[in-house]
Amino acid sequence: EAGVTQSPTHLIKTRGQQATLRCSPISGHTSVYWYQQALGLGLQFLLWYDEGEERNRGNFPPRFSGRQFPNYSSELNVNALELEDSALYLCASSRGQGQGDTQYFGPGTRLTVL
Amino acid sequence: GQSLEQPSEVTAVEGAIVQINCTYQTSGFYGLSWYQQHDGGAPTFLSYNGLDGLEETGRFSSFLSRSDSYGYLLLQELQMKDSASYFCAGMDSSYKLIFGSGTRLLVRP
């Protein structure tokens, strides 16, 4: 069974640009989660999508947005990039069963904003 | 809201046993998970406790006491490859996973 995949592996942008990150969940998983992990820090919850709908979002500005496609893959968009957006962006997927639902992580996209 | 606290760093010797504690404050809570993350890698799921008690998976065990808002991860027969960061994570009432700040485990020969 293939795991969660993310692309690109690395992304370099300049301030003010837009970044698009992509995630494909494990087959059979309907929920996709996005997290931001700044260097040396913990994971901060960004967004949760399930069955094509945004179910929850973390404490991030509206320039962080995304969507989930009919095949359950997902896209994270970050507009008007700022230097502090430089981080590892991790995507996770789960079966979408709620309580006790295990999340499995992809390898991440390393975003660098210059 | 919900917050989870872990020690920032733990050091142990190869072959030893180490316990990583996690205390939490939450207004709604659906169990405690543990993840391992090597430098530059993605978090890997280790275990989940939905009920009080001990869960054992090979060399790793995890414990939860909901009345004490406390859990721990126990690693036995430590190996050099166990050097990594370990995160506890709690699922809140909106099914959002909140992570602790992580414990960096250093295993020495």
Side-chain angles (χ1 to χ4, degrees), chain A residues 13 15-16 21 27-28 30 45 48 54 59 69 71 77 82 84 86-87 92 94 97 105-106 113:
Chain A
K13 295 284 186 178
R15 283 174 57 188
L21 289 64
S27 177
T30 63
F45 170 76
W48 168 28
E54 182 180 303
N59 190 24
F69 300 98
N71 66 353
N77 295 293
E82 300 178 2
E84 52 265 34
S86 294
S94 75
Q97 295 171 343
F105 284 82
V113 182

Side-chain angles (χ1 to χ4, degrees), chain A residues 87-105:
Chain A
L88 180 67
Y89 288 83
L90 292 158
C91 169
S93 76
S94 75
R95 296 189 182 278
Q97 295 171 343
Q99 182 179 346
D101 199 20
T102 299
Q103 297 182 20
Y104 297 91
F105 284 82

Side-chain angles (χ1 to χ4, degrees), chain B residues 4 7-8 21-22 26 65 86 104:
Chain B
L4 297 95
S8 59
N21 298 321
C22 175
T26 180
S65 170
Y86 293 83
R104 192 170 185 85

Side-chain angles (χ1 to χ4, degrees), chain B residues 7-27:
Chain B
S8 59
E9 195 171 291
V10 173
T11 301
V13 178
E14 194 175 13
I17 299 172
V18 71
Q19 179 173 313
I20 299 174
N21 298 321
C22 175
T23 57
Y24 61 86
Q25 295 179 351
T26 180
S27 58

Side-chain angles (χ1 to χ4, degrees), chain A residues 2-106:
Chain A
V4 177
T5 59
Q6 292 186 245
S7 63
T9 305
H10 293 88
L11 188 58
I12 299 175
K13 295 284 186 178
T14 57
R15 283 174 57 188
Q17 285 188 314
Q18 180 200 34
T20 298
L21 289 64
R22 296 179 176 83
C23 171
S24 291
I26 292 172
S27 177
H29 286 190
T30 63
S31 278
V32 170
Y33 308 81
W34 288 95
Y35 295 87
Q36 181 195 65
Q37 186 176 31
L39 190 64
L41 299 179
L43 286 78
Q44 300 297 317
F45 170 76
L46 264 168
L47 290 159
W48 168 28
Y49 292 96
D50 183 63
E51 298 285 359
E53 300 285 330
E54 182 180 303
R55 301 297 184 184
N56 208 338
R57 67 178 292 130
N59 190 24
F60 281 84
R63 57 190 186 83
F64 287 84
S65 65
R67 54 180 171 166
Q68 186 179 33
F69 300 98
N71 66 353
Y72 303 113
S73 66
S74 177
E75 203 172 80
L76 174 68
N77 295 293
V78 188
N79 294 319
L81 283 166
E82 300 178 2
L83 295 178
E84 52 265 34
D85 296 334
S86 294
L88 180 67
Y89 288 83
L90 292 158
C91 169
S93 76
S94 75
R95 296 189 182 278
Q97 295 171 343
Q99 182 179 346
D101 199 20
T102 299
Q103 297 182 20
Y104 297 91
F105 284 82

Side-chain angles (χ1 to χ4, degrees), chain A residues 33 35 37 41-43 45 48 56-58 88 90 98-107 110, chain B residues 30 33 35 37 40-45 48 50 87 91-92 94-102:
Chain A
Y33 308 81
Y35 295 87
Q37 186 176 31
L41 299 179
L43 286 78
F45 170 76
W48 168 28
N56 208 338
R57 67 178 292 130
L88 180 67
L90 292 158
Q99 182 179 346
D101 199 20
T102 299
Q103 297 182 20
Y104 297 91
F105 284 82
R110 174 76 62 186
Chain B
Y30 289 129
S33 299
Y35 286 83
Q37 186 179 30
T44 303
F45 172 77
Y48 170 74
F87 295 88
M91 183 171 285
D92 70 9
S94 67
Y95 303 129
K96 187 170 66 180
L97 205 59
I98 309 297
F99 282 81
S101 55

